[in-house]
Amino acid sequence: MAKKAETKPYKGTRDFLPEDIDRREHVTSIIRSVYEGHGFRPLETPAMERLETLLGKYGEEGDQLLFKVAKRGQGLVEGVREASEILAREGVVVGRTGETSPKAELLVSDIGLRYDLTVPLSRVYANELARLPAVFRRYQIQPVWRADNPGKGRFREFYQCDVDVIGTPSIVAEAEVAGAVAECLTRLGFRDFTIAINHRALLAAMIERAGIDPSKAQDAITVVDKLAKIGRDGVVAELAQKGVADAAGRTLLEMVEGADLAKVGALLAGHERGERAIADVRRVFELSKHTPASGFLSFDPSLARGLGYYTGCIFEIGVKDLAGSLGGGGRYDGLIGMFLGRDVPAVGFSIGLERILVVMEERGMFPQSIGRGPELLVAAVEEDRIEEALGLAYALRARGVRVELSPKVEKPGQARKDADQRGVPRALLVRSDGYNLWQASERDVTDRRVTPDELFAIVAGRRAMP
Amino acid sequence: MAKKAETKPYKGTRDFLPEDIDRREHVTSIIRSVYEGHGFRPLETPAMERLETLLGKYGEEGDQLLFKVAKRGQGLVEGVREASEILAREGVVVGRTGETSPKAELLVSDIGLRYDLTVPLSRVYANELARLPAVFRRYQIQPVWRADNPGKGRFREFYQCDVDVIGTPSIVAEAEVAGAVAECLTRLGFRDFTIAINHRALLAAMIERAGIDPSKAQDAITVVDKLAKIGRDGVVAELAQKGVADAAGRTLLEMVEGADLAKVGALLAGHERGERAIADVRRVFELSKHTPASGFLSFDPSLARGLGYYTGCIFEIGVKDLAGSLGGGGRYDGLIGMFLGRDVPAVGFSIGLERILVVMEERGMFPQSIGRGPELLVAAVEEDRIEEALGLAYALRARGVRVELSPKVEKPGQARKDADQRGVPRALLVRSDGYNLWQASERDVTDRRVTPDELFAIVAGRRAMP
């Protein structure tokens, strides 16, 4: 016999069986409904984007995690030849593990799979400017792909649920995206989450006040972001490695550690951009009193966020028992300019669907009955009843009942067992002398003879003809 | 100023703006609801599949249209080196247009984007056998990717809406998938479609009876499939090129041209497999009398279908004014065996979403009001009313109203104009001395002062608190 083919999904990707889809749709339908309630409109973009669109937006690490689509035909032949020459010229020793050549990757591909939904949105906004409203409010729920090492809750294909307001510098937009996200989480059943908030300009001001050279600001942000992971001494040590004096590092730490907004305000008195950033954060808190985010916002001066494109307020959603975040976001007033040639203000949030699902699963937060599986199994128990069973199935479907028809003659016991095992609450056995309806309720199991009228009354109830 | 970046979507792919999504969701929600009414359950699979999973299932042309994902790091370095050696050894002259090397493509990639939904389904069925019911009824609505030359209604990324029954050889399954597809089309508003039906074994029997060598059967099927396009003489000429004698070619043509089931039955009398195939087709007609496909089925002995994996009944959906089909399907009893090591019977249908949309657009088949855009625009007309407007927006959202909030202070005229242009039916202006509600109905436009109670009554009506 031939060797059985590999049937598992490709590393880091998953097949979603019906029960998985039920849970995913339970979550996405709530998110979609909340976003639409906020007046956001749907957008979808292609899986494939030009590499020039994707590269240089996410930072170096992001660029390395892009999936690239191989050129085809002549383009690939030329790419391979040139890549091979570069590899030879650069002395890349082929055969050792771990060696890569980004240049070679680029020569054999010019298209990649999208890494997030924010960069495609920015490209679309620049492309469709004339057709879109001045303030464009869009949501987007689609998969993204990253060639990361798979781990718990980390996949190579995963879904993001994004919501963004483009075209306004108003802080009301921050309050609305945070409010929308808080409403999503609340309606999903989360009660204990926090939306941490900080501001990129606030971080920059604190770094400046601590006496750290502005050229080291991005490094300092990256190190401070690890505070919870590596501790005070770890931060000071890593900052020292980046060339930041111990005293400056400790000053910065004092600023970001446990400081509230008033204290940071006092520290930054007279620092113009710092004071404006504090005013922004204060305004988000004020406005959020009127939104579902009220009570969930928490100022965290050590919050930094990894992505390169943020320019203003930044956010991160956390729950106690999950390392890592359920999502995050912020203002990115410079990204659209990379496509349009002039800056357009924008702010948004991204919820990670897989993380939400992991936590909801662990906490048993899914309602008992979700999904739209069949409500009735119809089976002929005699060969010459198949057409009657088929016609009956369609008559019930026309009344809005989800009916599974057994494609062959069934033994009554087998049909009942089959329905029971798969959670189909009712089974109808069609025989020449009439119908038997089996049903399992929470209280008991019944199996009785029914007339056609009784059948329709029980199964279709008062559902209107569509 | 920097050169403006390319912002159009990649060749053959599209961005879907809100109005596009509204139309797409109108169609997919009906299809989903019909499939679920038939007891089918949802499945989703990853965009990326191993190339070994995809290759050799669709025929040579299909293999060539696969998008391949470039290997990364060391794997790519080695692939490039080896591919470069092969290109040199095979004497591929680099630089001339149109030259390709499939071998080189395979050396730099081992993963591809899915080409259809049937092969991934077959892989999943083989992988999840233990967790799935004996007869597995699944639907799947997801994009697929093909490196085809884009044309009208032909894209590199497009959606298929598949429905399949796996695990039964019963013809009832054929009747049900055809019934489901007919119900989808009817509920979308199509009245004039046909579901052409034929049978692979019937084609094979006719080819045999015409005296054509069985080794040329697949060639003959491919040529006969072009009858409508190239005409009688074209078919005979092409058959001759494939080594089929003129007389045999003409005999085959007579069999498939305008023949009804009775006539084909007479022609194939005594041909065992041919007679069984005729019985299958007859049975589909009989059973379909009890399904929504009744009256839409049409026997077409020249129907062949391109894909390699069909083994029994084959189907194709046509409408008069569309060259090409809206979808098609058939029985493929051998495909799952390529993954599982033993054959499992299966039959299914695939509806092409883009084709449906093209025809519905041309015929004006979309209802006037689809989509879930904002029902009300709320705008503060004075700076100190922003928080009140925000709170009001959330109070109305809590009542289930889709509310867009203007993020900044608006001039009343501008807010009304903005709502009007974008089809938002109502605008609420929040001022220190009260609320003004503007609304455009089919009959007139009104703009009047309202109390909070009136506002809620008008806008939220009798909607319950969620």
Side-chain angles (χ1 to χ4, degrees):
Chain A
M1 199 177 108
K3 185 172 159 281
K4 187 169 167 284
E6 175 59 74
T7 57
K8 288 200 193 72
Y10 165 63
K11 178 183 178 184
T13 71
R14 295 153 296 161
D15 298 316
F16 299 120
L17 298 195
E19 293 69 30
D20 304 317
I21 303 278
D22 288 344
R23 280 190 285 268
R24 298 175 75 81
E25 295 226 323
H26 168 74
V27 174
T28 54
S29 69
I30 287 175
I31 292 176
R32 189 183 308 265
S33 153
V34 171
Y35 287 170
E36 286 174 350
H38 283 71
F40 290 94
R41 299 285 281 130
L43 178 80
E44 287 181 17
T45 63
M48 290 183 280
E49 294 277 356
R50 289 182 190 80
L51 281 179
E52 64 181 62
T53 300
L54 301 173
L55 288 168
K57 311 294 190 298
Y58 305 108
E60 203 181 319
E61 197 196 346
D63 285 356
Q64 284 171 9
L65 296 183
L66 292 176
F67 275 108
K68 303 184 183 79
V69 175
K71 287 183 186 174
R72 301 164 41 71
Q74 181 65 9
L76 183 65
V77 169
E78 281 168 16
V80 163
R81 188 192 58 166
E82 208 178 324
S84 159
E85 281 167 12
I86 287 178
L87 292 174
R89 196 165 60 234
E90 289 185 352
V92 175
V93 182
V94 177
R96 283 203 214 140
T97 311
E99 273 176 342
T100 71
S101 171
K103 270 187 203 159
E105 291 186 16
L106 287 178
L107 283 163
V108 300
S109 54
D110 49 6
I111 299 293
L113 300 184
R114 68 174 166 246
Y115 175 93
D116 77 349
L117 304 177
T118 310
V119 167
L121 167 67
S122 301
R123 176 187 61 68
V124 172
Y125 185 84
N127 194 51
E128 301 282 359
L129 201 58
R131 291 172 63 197
L132 296 176
V135 175
F136 181 46
R137 304 158 69 88
R138 89 85 176 79
Y139 74 88
Q140 186 169 356
I141 301 176
Q142 282 196 293
V144 301
W145 295 270
R146 297 182 186 175
D148 218 338
N149 282 326
K152 192 197 168 196
R154 193 166 64 230
F155 303 98
R156 293 188 155 196
E157 174 180 80
F158 59 97
Y159 275 70
Q160 294 192 325
C161 311
D162 277 30
V163 66
D164 293 80
V165 181
I166 293 186
T168 179
S170 166
I171 297 290
V172 174
E174 267 87 342
E176 279 219 291
V177 290
V181 163
E183 188 175 327
C184 286
L185 293 171
T186 308
R187 281 185 49 191
L188 287 168
F190 287 90
R191 294 289 173 267
D192 63 343
F193 61 94
T194 55
I195 302 179
I197 176 172
N198 197 10
H199 196 293
R200 276 279 165 96
L202 198 55
L203 275 171
M206 287 191 287
I207 287 162
E208 207 182 308
R209 275 283 153 105
I212 295 168
D213 192 279
S215 70
K216 299 204 165 66
Q218 190 57 50
D219 281 348
I221 286 175
T222 311
V223 176
V224 165
D225 199 35
K226 300 184 191 167
L227 178 58
K229 209 156 79 185
I230 61 176
R232 304 192 87 236
D233 292 342
V235 167
V236 174
E238 272 207 34
L239 282 173
Q241 278 171 22
K242 306 277 182 188
V244 173
D246 267 26
R250 290 193 189 279
T251 307
L252 178 61
L253 264 181
E254 269 167 38
M255 287 179 171
V256 302
E257 256 193 323
D260 61 18
L261 205 47
K263 196 174 142 197
V264 173
L267 284 167
L268 295 180
H271 188 293
E272 199 189 323
R273 276 170 296 123
E275 285 186 335
R276 270 211 307 273
I278 287 174
D280 281 359
V281 174
R282 266 193 222 289
R283 185 74 178 139
V284 174
F285 272 94
E286 275 168 26
L287 292 169
S288 295
K289 284 180 196 153
H290 308 281
T291 82
S294 175
F296 295 109
L297 274 182
S298 164
F299 175 61
D300 178 359
S302 71
L303 175 67
R305 298 287 295 159
L307 285 172
Y309 49 58
Y310 290 122
T311 55
C313 286
I314 45 179
F315 300 96
E316 199 165 273
I317 313 164
V319 286
K320 267 179 299 198
D321 44 353
L322 183 82
S325 73
L326 291 183
R331 182 165 280 280
Y332 50 98
D333 286 349
L335 183 56
I336 294 166
M338 295 171 84
F339 295 101
L340 193 60
R342 65 173 172 84
D343 282 349
V344 174
V347 60
F349 240 106
S350 180
I351 300 181
L353 178 59
E354 336 297 321
R355 300 287 180 84
I356 296 273
L357 287 162
V358 163
V359 177
M360 288 182 69
E361 187 69 48
E362 281 176 359
R363 296 183 180 181
M365 287 168 66
F366 292 105
Q368 268 212 312
S369 158
I370 51 174
R372 298 170 49 81
E375 301 162 286
L376 176 72
L377 180 73
V378 170
V381 300
E382 292 155 25
E383 181 66 40
D384 64 356
R385 292 298 110 186
I386 288 233
E387 291 183 41
E388 185 179 350
L390 182 62
L392 198 58
Y394 271 104
L396 287 161
R397 287 168 185 161
R399 294 285 286 273
V401 184
R402 297 191 300 276
V403 178
E404 176 175 332
L405 176 69
S406 188
K408 62 174 176 51
V409 175
E410 298 279 356
K411 294 203 176 71
Q414 185 61 43
R416 289 186 206 107
K417 196 177 145 194
D418 199 33
D420 197 30
Q421 279 181 343
R422 290 173 33 224
V424 183
R426 291 176 171 131
L428 182 77
L429 307 175
V430 181
R431 50 206 331 156
S432 50
D433 60 351
Y435 304 154
N436 256 60
L437 183 66
W438 170 93
Q439 52 187 340
S441 73
E442 277 173 33
R443 283 172 308 177
D444 54 7
V445 172
T446 60
D447 188 357
R448 63 188 180 99
R449 201 49 73 91
V450 290
T451 66
D453 281 353
E454 284 172 337
L455 170 69
F456 275 78
I458 293 169
V459 175
R462 270 169 293 174
R463 295 185 207 195
M465 298 286 287
Chain B
M1 199 178 106
K3 185 171 159 281
K4 188 170 165 283
E6 176 59 76
T7 57
K8 289 200 193 70
Y10 166 63
K11 179 183 178 183
T13 71
R14 296 154 295 160
D15 297 316
F16 298 122
L17 299 196
E19 294 69 31
D20 304 316
I21 302 279
D22 289 344
R23 281 190 285 268
R24 299 175 75 82
E25 295 226 322
H26 169 74
V27 173
T28 53
S29 68
I30 287 174
I31 293 176
R32 189 183 308 265
S33 150
V34 171
Y35 288 169
E36 285 174 351
H38 282 70
F40 290 95
R41 299 284 281 131
L43 179 78
E44 286 181 18
T45 63
M48 292 183 278
E49 294 276 358
R50 288 181 191 79
L51 280 178
E52 65 182 61
T53 299
L54 301 173
L55 287 167
K57 311 296 189 300
Y58 304 109
E60 203 181 320
E61 199 195 343
D63 285 356
Q64 284 171 8
L65 296 183
L66 292 176
F67 275 108
K68 303 184 184 80
V69 175
K71 286 183 186 173
R72 302 163 41 71
Q74 180 67 6
L76 182 66
V77 169
E78 281 167 15
V80 162
R81 189 192 56 167
E82 208 177 325
S84 160
E85 281 166 12
I86 287 178
L87 293 173
R89 196 164 61 233
E90 289 184 353
V92 175
V93 182
V94 177
R96 284 203 213 137
T97 311
E99 275 177 342
T100 70
S101 172
K103 270 188 203 157
E105 291 186 16
L106 286 179
L107 284 163
V108 300
S109 54
D110 48 6
I111 298 294
L113 299 184
R114 69 175 164 244
Y115 175 93
D116 76 349
L117 304 178
T118 311
V119 167
L121 166 67
S122 302
R123 176 187 59 70
V124 172
Y125 185 84
N127 193 50
E128 300 282 359
L129 201 57
R131 290 172 62 195
L132 297 176
V135 176
F136 181 47
R137 306 157 67 90
R138 89 85 175 79
Y139 74 89
Q140 186 169 357
I141 302 177
Q142 283 195 290
V144 302
W145 294 271
R146 295 182 188 176
D148 218 338
N149 283 326
K152 192 197 169 197
R154 193 166 64 232
F155 303 98
R156 295 190 152 191
E157 173 180 81
F158 59 97
Y159 275 70
Q160 294 192 326
C161 311
D162 276 31
V163 67
D164 292 80
V165 182
I166 293 187
T168 179
S170 166
I171 298 290
V172 174
E174 267 87 343
E176 279 218 292
V177 291
V181 163
E183 188 175 327
C184 287
L185 292 171
T186 308
R187 282 185 48 189
L188 287 168
F190 288 90
R191 295 288 172 269
D192 63 343
F193 62 94
T194 55
I195 302 179
I197 175 170
N198 196 11
H199 196 293
R200 275 281 165 94
L202 199 56
L203 274 171
M206 288 190 286
I207 286 163
E208 207 181 308
R209 276 281 153 105
I212 296 169
D213 192 278
S215 70
K216 299 203 165 64
Q218 189 57 51
D219 281 347
I221 286 175
T222 311
V223 176
V224 165
D225 199 35
K226 300 183 191 168
L227 178 58
K229 210 156 80 185
I230 63 177
R232 304 193 86 235
D233 293 343
V235 166
V236 175
E238 273 207 32
L239 283 172
Q241 281 172 20
K242 306 276 182 190
V244 174
D246 267 24
R250 289 193 191 280
T251 308
L252 179 60
L253 264 180
E254 269 166 38
M255 287 181 172
V256 302
E257 257 193 322
D260 62 18
L261 206 46
K263 198 173 141 198
V264 173
L267 285 166
L268 296 180
H271 189 293
E272 199 190 323
R273 274 170 297 125
E275 286 186 335
R276 269 211 307 273
I278 288 174
D280 280 359
V281 173
R282 266 194 223 288
R283 186 74 179 137
V284 174
F285 273 94
E286 276 169 24
L287 292 169
S288 296
K289 284 180 195 152
H290 308 280
T291 82
S294 175
F296 295 109
L297 274 181
S298 164
F299 176 61
D300 178 357
S302 72
L303 176 67
R305 298 287 296 160
L307 285 173
Y309 49 59
Y310 291 122
T311 55
C313 285
I314 45 179
F315 301 95
E316 198 165 273
I317 313 163
V319 288
K320 268 178 300 200
D321 44 354
L322 182 83
S325 73
L326 291 183
R331 183 166 281 280
Y332 50 98
D333 287 349
L335 183 56
I336 294 165
M338 296 172 82
F339 295 100
L340 192 60
R342 65 173 172 82
D343 282 350
V344 174
V347 60
F349 240 105
S350 179
I351 300 181
L353 178 59
E354 335 296 322
R355 299 287 180 84
I356 297 272
L357 287 163
V358 164
V359 178
M360 288 183 68
E361 186 69 46
E362 281 175 359
R363 296 184 179 181
M365 287 168 65
F366 292 104
Q368 269 211 311
S369 160
I370 50 175
R372 299 171 48 81
E375 300 162 285
L376 176 71
L377 180 74
V378 170
V381 298
E382 292 155 24
E383 181 67 40
D384 64 357
R385 292 299 109 184
I386 289 231
E387 290 184 41
E388 186 179 351
L390 181 64
L392 198 56
Y394 271 103
L396 286 161
R397 286 167 186 162
R399 295 283 286 274
V401 184
R402 296 191 300 276
V403 178
E404 176 177 331
L405 175 69
S406 186
K408 64 175 176 49
V409 175
E410 297 279 355
K411 292 201 177 74
Q414 186 59 43
R416 291 188 204 103
K417 196 177 144 195
D418 198 35
D420 198 30
Q421 280 180 343
R422 292 175 30 224
V424 182
R426 290 177 172 130
L428 182 77
L429 307 176
V430 181
R431 49 206 331 156
S432 50
D433 60 351
Y435 304 155
N436 254 61
L437 182 66
W438 170 94
Q439 52 187 340
S441 74
E442 278 173 32
R443 285 172 306 175
D444 54 8
V445 172
T446 59
D447 189 357
R448 63 185 178 101
R449 199 51 72 92
V450 290
T451 66
D453 280 353
E454 284 170 338
L455 170 71
F456 274 79
I458 293 168
V459 175
R462 269 169 295 172
R463 294 183 208 195
M465 296 289 286

